[in-house]
Amino acid sequence: MPNLLQFERSPYLLQHADNPVDWHPWNDEALSMARREHKPIFLSIGYSTCHWCHVMARESFTSPEVAAVLNRFFVPIKVDREERPDIDSVYMAACMAMNGSGGWPLTVLLTPDEKPFWAGTYLPKEHLLFLLEQVAQRWQAQPEALADAAKALTDHLRQQQSVRPGTPTPALVRSGVVQFAEQFDETWGGFGPAPKFPSAHNLLFILQYHQRTGDPASLRMVETTLERMYRGGMFDHIGGGFSRYSTDRQWLVPHFEKMLYDNALLSLAYTEAYRQTLKPYYAKVVRRTLDYVLRELTDPDGGFYCGQDADSDGVEGKYYVFTPEEVARILGEEDGQRFCRRYGITARGNFAQKSIPNLIDASDWAEEDPTLEPLREALYDARKQRTRLHRDDKVLTAWNGLMIAAFAQAGLVLEESRYVDAAKNAVRFLQTNVMENGRLLARWYHGDAAHPGKLEDYAFFALGLLTLYGATLQAEVLEAACGLSSQLLDRFFDWEQGGFYPYADDGEQLITRTKEVYDGAMPSGNSAAALVLSRLSRLTGEPRWRKAADLQLRYLAGAVQSYPAGHSMTLLTFLEELWPSSELICTATSCPEDLLAFLREEPHPGLTTLLKTKDNSPILSSLAPFTDSYPIPEKGAQYFYCQGKTCAQPVQSIPALRSLMASLSAEK
């Protein structure tokens, strides 16, 4: 008989609805039941495309033996970490404090008042049974001992919130670059040993550092990493897009699940690499990644889905691998042999007796052979006939914010209007489906929106909107970013010490409300919010954004001192704040065609751009009142350029603007 998860909308929770375990969703009823019956809580946190979550489910949660112990002695609660990152964050911190590491599935034992006394990740069935039986016996005999341990751990987690403010400095930024250089794999790229995660926000920071300083070693670290990731099997050479991470040093064998946020951040990194180097293969990787998202992870109404599973038929990676015989059967003998030579598909194989297509041994990997494209398409079509991968088709506000940024930036830099349109469509989707009275909800699934928006939802969506504004200069987009940022300050910000809390002041209050600043697989909400505030301050000149940005930057400067490289998005914000910046205000009857071309064709680090027209001047007047004094010409355009504390006389054309910028740079 199905358990209570049958009434939920999360794909992950629904995967467990037929378990013999009497699962509850995280809600007041389940928590009250634990207190009323004085039972410990068995908390299991995962997500629907998680390979080891599936393994533990098959081994343990379908087992009547495990279910009998859980149902008798515990209140079992399932949580989708993607829908409730706040719960996941609290108990992942407990797991890290206990073990020094964490991951999913996350398994936590709690007292009835939600305090953790044991935490771990995947457990084989026999280990889980032993743990449950031991804890059940001890809870019956000495519940106070477990409660004391839980209280001590919770007190420890609460004490970790204290941060002494610091001062952002160029030295702090450079120390982060030095730490990355010390971990850099000179041969295969990436940082540290296997498993290797892309963590593309690290690459974005290092790219921006190179652009502002000209440091060649920084560019080399990024280019080596981007090249090796693309050439390996972590990139899907048949269907496009990147898997979540590599299990080996060479980026050959991935953990095959594909996540929306990874593909968003990697697209941003490859786009920026193309912008700085103009190497065509970077643009090709961006297009193949974003086209994959449009083809397989996009809702008909414009939102972006979470990702795709690693498993098909219960076997990880089965969907993605080939043998030479399979390729020849699909393409024919001659074309099959040519394709196999190009993509390293051999009789020996490189994964479970089959081959992950890759370009590791292709010396001409960067050269484009147009005759291979129809062969790749044929293999893609044939692959779709295999057992279909599970797709997690819920729409998460935070992850969509990152993908909006990726599409907007790629659309600008690659001059691809369809990508800008995809970003606009996603914005409309979120504004229509997950916004209520200016407040965000965290998740949409098949028409149902739920869960109050968290810090990442507001910060990432606002960042996506600011990136879209940079690609379109549409004032309504900037206005939407300001609206979300106001909610951030009103509901999440600590105006005394700085730092953003993970959930709103009127949201569900968990056992801790820790301000997370560390960048993991994604940038932290605190670092993204800092970048948003910094950019809004420079765009609008409004004191409220500046005051909050300064307080947030001081908070982060204190928080990142011990390990700057673990906070790359914060360091990127410091870069934008500390290195030279400039401002451009264009006034015109409508957006000049050559203005967006100017922004696209030439990187201008530290440049913020506003467009004022007759149509948008009322919006700009409310967002950036200083623009009231900038006149709109009867025809043509005027460009007002300021660098540092110096503003030049306006010029009337883009060529004149280029000359002005060059002359001011030469005077420095």
Side-chain angles (χ1 to χ4, degrees):
M1 179 180 295
N3 55 52
L4 291 174
L5 299 186
Q6 65 180 304
F7 303 112
E8 297 300 305
R9 302 304 301 271
S10 155
Y12 175 64
L13 299 188
L14 290 170
Q15 287 172 352
H16 295 81
D18 291 319
N19 291 168
V21 178
D22 288 338
W23 290 116
H24 299 256
W26 180 282
N27 57 27
D28 289 341
E29 289 78 9
L31 300 175
S32 296
M33 178 181 173
R35 290 191 291 270
R36 185 174 63 253
E37 299 183 5
H38 194 60
K39 285 183 177 180
I41 295 168
F42 178 86
L43 178 62
S44 177
I45 303 177
Y47 56 101
S48 76
T49 59
C50 167
H51 170 71
W52 287 103
C53 299
H54 299 330
V55 173
M56 192 164 176
R58 285 195 301 268
E59 292 177 350
S60 297
F61 301 144
T62 60
S63 163
E65 188 180 7
V66 172
V69 179
L70 279 174
N71 296 343
R72 180 179 178 187
F73 297 107
F74 298 84
V75 175
I77 296 180
K78 264 282 176 195
V79 168
D80 183 339
R81 67 169 291 260
E82 295 171 351
E83 289 195 349
R84 294 298 307 265
D86 51 337
I87 296 173
D88 178 62
S89 172
V90 166
Y91 294 108
M92 184 61 74
C95 185
M96 295 290 290
M98 287 180 171
N99 306 300
S101 62
W104 299 277
L106 178 60
T107 305
V108 193
L109 301 180
L110 317 177
T111 61
D113 57 354
E114 305 160 46
K115 296 184 176 73
F117 59 84
W118 188 94
T121 54
Y122 163 78
L123 291 171
K125 176 184 173 181
E126 59 275 14
H127 293 181
L128 177 61
L129 269 173
F130 178 78
L131 171 69
L132 295 176
E133 290 166 352
Q134 291 294 309
V135 169
Q137 290 175 16
R138 192 168 182 197
W139 185 261
Q140 301 265 337
Q142 294 179 301
E144 65 281 353
L146 294 177
D148 288 346
K151 181 181 182 302
L153 176 59
T154 303
D155 290 344
H156 170 71
L157 295 173
R158 288 170 176 165
Q159 290 167 3
Q160 289 185 326
Q161 296 181 39
S162 178
V163 170
R164 178 178 296 177
T167 301
T169 63
L172 189 57
V173 174
R174 293 189 189 100
S175 67
V177 176
V178 169
Q179 288 173 345
F180 280 120
E182 290 170 347
Q183 302 168 39
F184 179 59
D185 184 335
E186 296 279 354
T187 303
W188 295 101
F191 305 95
K196 285 184 173 178
F197 290 80
S199 300
H201 40 290
N202 296 340
L203 305 178
L204 281 167
F205 158 64
I206 300 170
L207 276 169
Q208 291 297 327
Y209 182 80
H210 161 261
Q211 188 170 49
R212 284 166 169 79
T213 65
D215 175 37
S218 295
L219 182 62
R220 181 175 56 81
M221 284 194 291
V222 174
E223 288 213 86
T224 301
T225 302
L226 292 177
E227 174 193 323
R228 290 300 187 176
M229 282 196 297
Y230 165 65
R231 292 175 66 182
M234 206 178 85
F235 182 77
D236 180 359
H237 292 276
I238 305 299
F242 287 87
S243 294
R244 185 162 166 252
Y245 64 86
S246 174
T247 64
D248 56 46
R249 183 185 174 197
Q250 301 96 308
W251 307 98
L252 172 61
V253 179
H255 183 43
F256 288 90
E257 63 186 302
K258 290 179 178 177
M259 308 302 289
L260 184 73
Y261 62 82
D262 282 322
N263 284 282
L265 292 165
L266 283 163
S267 295
L268 285 166
Y270 280 93
T271 298
E272 183 59 27
Y274 174 73
R275 191 175 198 176
Q276 291 191 25
T277 68
L278 297 180
K279 292 183 179 178
Y281 102 85
Y282 290 132
K284 178 181 72 174
V285 175
V286 174
R287 288 190 172 95
R288 293 203 61 205
T289 301
L290 295 181
D291 288 349
Y292 154 74
V293 173
L294 289 175
R295 190 172 57 244
E296 301 198 30
L297 294 181
T298 302
D299 184 86
D301 290 332
F304 302 119
Y305 300 141
C306 285
Q308 287 175 308
D309 209 335
D311 299 7
S312 56
D313 294 326
V315 179
E316 183 179 10
K318 180 180 179 181
Y319 183 81
Y320 292 101
V321 294
F322 288 90
T323 64
E325 292 76 19
E326 288 173 313
V327 175
R329 198 160 50 244
I330 297 164
L331 302 180
E333 198 65 37
E334 183 177 341
D335 283 341
Q337 289 182 7
R338 189 159 63 94
F339 193 91
C340 287
R341 283 196 300 272
R342 173 71 172 175
Y343 287 99
I345 300 171
T346 65
R348 174 186 289 182
N350 54 38
F351 179 77
Q353 288 77 55
K354 293 190 175 185
S355 292
I356 303 165
N358 68 90
L359 293 170
I360 290 175
D361 294 326
S363 58
D364 58 347
W365 62 272
E367 297 177 15
E368 192 64 32
D369 182 350
T371 67
L372 288 174
E373 185 57 32
L375 305 185
R376 190 161 46 232
E377 287 295 326
L379 283 175
Y380 174 74
D381 290 339
R383 196 176 72 176
K384 286 195 296 185
Q385 305 308 310
R386 296 174 172 177
T387 299
R388 188 177 178 182
L389 291 171
H390 163 69
R391 181 177 66 187
D392 187 334
D393 54 353
K394 67 178 181 288
V395 174
L396 294 175
T397 303
W399 298 8
N400 271 247
L402 294 176
M403 189 53 79
I404 287 166
F407 271 107
Q409 190 69 359
L412 172 68
V413 173
L414 303 183
E415 201 173 357
E416 287 275 12
S417 60
R418 64 195 181 98
Y419 291 160
V420 176
D421 289 342
K424 291 179 179 178
N425 290 339
V427 169
R428 279 193 293 271
F429 183 95
L430 295 183
Q431 290 175 332
T432 301
N433 293 288
V434 299
M435 286 197 78
E436 293 181 355
N437 301 317
R439 302 287 294 272
L440 291 175
L441 295 169
R443 181 269 287 156
W444 178 93
Y445 180 69
H446 291 198
D448 176 67
H451 307 301
K454 307 302 185 292
L455 169 60
E456 288 81 3
D457 298 303
Y458 287 89
F460 291 173
F461 191 11
L463 187 59
L465 287 165
L466 286 178
T467 309
L468 181 59
Y469 176 74
T472 63
L473 300 179
Q474 294 174 345
E476 296 82 3
V477 178
L478 180 60
E479 183 179 39
C482 289
L484 291 178
S485 301
S486 290
Q487 291 286 353
L488 269 175
L489 294 184
D490 292 343
R491 296 294 181 182
F492 296 84
F493 194 51
D494 180 349
W495 280 100
E496 293 184 4
Q497 302 295 325
F500 287 87
Y501 295 107
Y503 48 87
D505 56 0
D506 59 350
E508 178 186 359
Q509 302 300 302
L510 303 174
I511 60 167
T512 63
R513 200 170 177 230
T514 305
K515 303 171 190 172
E516 287 197 350
V517 299
Y518 184 83
D519 292 340
M522 289 184 289
S524 71
N526 264 284
S527 62
L531 189 57
V532 166
L533 292 174
S534 172
R535 289 180 177 177
L536 277 180
S537 171
R538 286 178 283 125
L539 274 167
T540 69
E542 275 297 271
R544 187 185 192 213
W545 306 130
R546 185 70 265 162
K547 179 181 177 183
D550 287 343
L551 186 56
Q552 176 69 355
L553 293 172
R554 288 195 296 272
Y555 176 82
L556 290 174
V560 309
Q561 291 283 346
S562 61
Y563 185 50
H567 307 82
S568 57
M569 188 64 81
T570 292
L571 298 183
L572 190 152
T573 307
F574 291 171
L575 262 178
E576 294 192 4
E577 285 279 329
L578 297 170
W579 266 254
S581 62
S582 54
E583 297 79 37
L584 174 65
I585 296 98
C586 171
T587 61
T589 53
S590 61
C591 183
E593 291 185 7
D594 54 354
L595 175 56
L596 288 177
F598 166 75
L599 297 175
R600 173 175 58 252
E601 292 164 6
E602 302 173 36
H604 305 284
L607 177 69
T608 57
T609 304
L610 282 175
L611 170 67
K612 179 182 177 181
T613 67
K614 290 180 180 178
D615 289 338
N616 75 18
S617 59
I619 296 177
L620 275 191
S621 179
S622 99
L623 302 179
F626 79 92
T627 60
D628 289 346
S629 61
Y630 287 76
I632 301 171
E634 290 298 322
K635 61 179 181 178
Q638 287 199 99
Y639 297 93
F640 300 83
Y641 180 72
C642 300
Q643 189 178 76
K645 303 294 184 182
T646 304
C647 294
Q649 288 293 316
V651 295
Q652 283 69 47
S653 69
I654 291 294
L657 175 63
R658 286 195 179 99
S659 297
L660 172 64
M661 294 173 71
S663 65
L664 290 176
S665 295
E667 292 174 7
K668 290 173 59 179

